[in-house]
Amino acid sequence: WNGVKDVICETVQALNGMPSGHLYAQLMGLMSLDVYNKMLSELKQEGRISESGYFLTAIEKAPA
């Protein structure tokens, strides 16, 4: 589960953000919409992804 979340964050970061629907369209054969929404919710709660107007942006953590 965490590996999938890492790949999602890396993908969003590599593309400098992307529409949530476009990301789900690429994943819909692998997971249900409910699972996708739960995963995004967790990523937002963890502070790894932000969403504004259905546009996802990866949040880079400051170096420790």
Side-chain angles (χ1 to χ4, degrees):
W1 182 262
N2 286 330
V4 174
K5 292 190 324 186
D6 290 342
V7 169
I8 287 174
C9 288
E10 291 168 9
T11 301
V12 172
Q13 185 174 21
L15 296 172
N16 295 313
M18 68 185 306
S20 180
H22 291 202
L23 179 58
Y24 179 65
Q26 297 300 312
L27 298 171
M28 65 191 308
L30 305 172
M31 65 181 67
S32 69
L33 182 57
D34 288 337
V35 170
Y36 174 77
N37 285 330
K38 180 174 176 21
M39 191 172 299
L40 276 188
S41 178
E42 289 180 11
L43 287 168
K44 288 187 271 187
Q45 287 176 346
E46 294 168 7
R48 297 176 67 190
I49 293 279
S50 67
E51 183 175 17
S52 177
Y54 300 105
F55 192 83
L56 303 173
T57 306
I59 300 171
E60 292 188 50
K61 293 188 177 186

